Amino acid sequence: MKLIIAIVRDTDDQAVIQQLINQGYRVTRVASTGGFLRRGMVTLLIGVDADKVQAVIDLVRDACRPPSEAGQHRATVFVVNMPHFEQI
Amino acid sequence: MKLIIAIVRDTDDQAVIQQLINQGYRVTRVASTGGFLRRGMVTLLIGVDADKVQAVIDLVRDACRPPSEAGQHRATVFVVNMPHFEQI
Amino acid sequence: MKLIIAIVRDTDDQAVIQQLINQGYRVTRVASTGGFLRRGMVTLLIGVDADKVQAVIDLVRDACRPPSEAGQHRATVFVVNMPHFEQI
């Protein structure tokens, strides 16, 4: 499995979370700030099967509004291997 | 080493943290929310030797109360490989 | 690439973030607490090329003040492999 760590703006996180839940994914939300200006960001933790990574990245891209400033992105996505996942 | 990312309810985190510290583990706590209802959750970061992963998972299971709702879990545990760990 | 998860005291995080940004790194900041005393900590997420890991660890060490208590550290650094990184 893979752990997806997606960082989105705090104006987009509710749309992303709603879409993730609609598609059956489980997500944990962590309030965050980005860069020196402490812009409001949200870090999302999503554990998924490896074959779902691209679908989740596409979902995040579609649910986030385009950035208002040049050079900015909708989201930053880190994907790490997760050899062990357990719901206990 | 392994990085354990454990997500527990915010009514269980103090019991889990106390047990972890009693057993000599170091833990970092991040306030979080889960799902669309923004239920209060806590994300715990714990770096451990690979041979301690199961002991930590068992500790988390024992320290969390059973979920009150059917279909819920006590905790979600992500384990990722951590080739490099440093206290500086 | 690598995902660096650095945990620093909340009296040092602004200096670390400023240095990271000065050096061209992107960083996400998550308010955290450490241990049972709930000391104020900050968890920083930094995605970097593998050959930059040591430079970032050195930067964190240099930007954090020495710990005031014996047995404490300036920072804890977790480094995990990140096979996939995307800005979307």
Side-chain angles (χ1 to χ4, degrees):
Chain A
M1 291 188 66
K2 303 281 185 177
L3 173 60
I4 300 176
I5 302 170
I7 300 165
V8 303
R9 288 189 296 273
D10 64 0
T11 47
D12 287 328
D13 69 298
Q14 287 307 302
V16 175
I17 291 170
Q18 184 156 18
Q19 283 301 313
L20 285 167
I21 291 174
N22 287 353
Q23 300 294 322
Y25 299 104
R26 299 176 70 97
V27 54
T28 299
R29 177 192 188 281
V30 180
S32 309
T33 50
F36 199 62
L37 296 174
R38 292 179 163 236
R39 221 177 310 228
M41 307 295 281
V42 168
T43 298
L44 302 175
L45 304 178
I46 313 147
V48 298
D49 288 320
D51 63 0
K52 299 291 191 189
V53 168
Q54 194 55 54
V56 169
I57 292 175
D58 291 344
L59 181 158
V60 172
R61 182 190 291 109
D62 291 347
C64 289
R65 274 166 291 193
S68 53
E69 296 167 58
Q72 296 296 309
H73 302 272
R74 291 167 198 243
T76 299
V77 181
F78 302 133
V79 183
V80 302
N81 292 328
M82 182 166 59
H84 190 119
F85 166 78
E86 210 168 321
Q87 289 185 303
I88 59 178
Chain B
M1 290 188 67
K2 302 282 184 177
L3 172 61
I4 300 177
I5 302 170
I7 300 165
V8 303
R9 287 189 296 273
D10 64 0
T11 47
D12 287 327
D13 69 299
Q14 286 309 304
V16 174
I17 290 170
Q18 184 156 19
Q19 283 302 313
L20 285 168
I21 291 174
N22 287 351
Q23 300 294 321
Y25 298 104
R26 298 176 71 96
V27 55
T28 299
R29 176 192 188 280
V30 180
S32 310
T33 51
F36 199 64
L37 295 175
R38 293 180 163 233
R39 220 179 308 230
M41 307 296 281
V42 169
T43 299
L44 302 175
L45 304 179
I46 313 146
V48 298
D49 287 321
D51 64 359
K52 299 292 191 189
V53 168
Q54 194 55 53
V56 169
I57 292 175
D58 292 343
L59 180 158
V60 171
R61 182 189 291 107
D62 291 346
C64 289
R65 275 164 291 192
S68 54
E69 296 167 58
Q72 296 295 311
H73 302 273
R74 290 167 199 244
T76 298
V77 181
F78 302 132
V79 184
V80 302
N81 293 328
M82 181 165 60
H84 190 118
F85 167 77
E86 210 168 319
Q87 289 185 304
I88 59 178
Chain C
M1 291 187 67
K2 303 282 184 177
L3 173 61
I4 300 177
I5 302 170
I7 300 164
V8 304
R9 287 189 297 273
D10 64 0
T11 47
D12 287 327
D13 69 300
Q14 286 309 303
V16 175
I17 290 170
Q18 183 156 20
Q19 283 301 314
L20 285 167
I21 290 174
N22 287 352
Q23 300 294 323
Y25 298 104
R26 298 175 69 97
V27 54
T28 299
R29 177 192 187 279
V30 180
S32 309
T33 50
F36 199 64
L37 295 175
R38 293 181 162 234
R39 219 178 309 227
M41 307 296 280
V42 169
T43 299
L44 302 174
L45 304 178
I46 313 146
V48 297
D49 288 321
D51 63 359
K52 300 291 190 189
V53 168
Q54 194 55 53
V56 169
I57 292 175
D58 292 344
L59 181 157
V60 172
R61 181 189 292 108
D62 291 346
C64 290
R65 273 164 292 192
S68 54
E69 296 165 59
Q72 297 296 310
H73 302 272
R74 290 168 198 243
T76 299
V77 181
F78 302 132
V79 184
V80 302
N81 293 328
M82 180 165 61
H84 190 118
F85 167 78
E86 210 168 319
Q87 289 186 302
I88 59 178

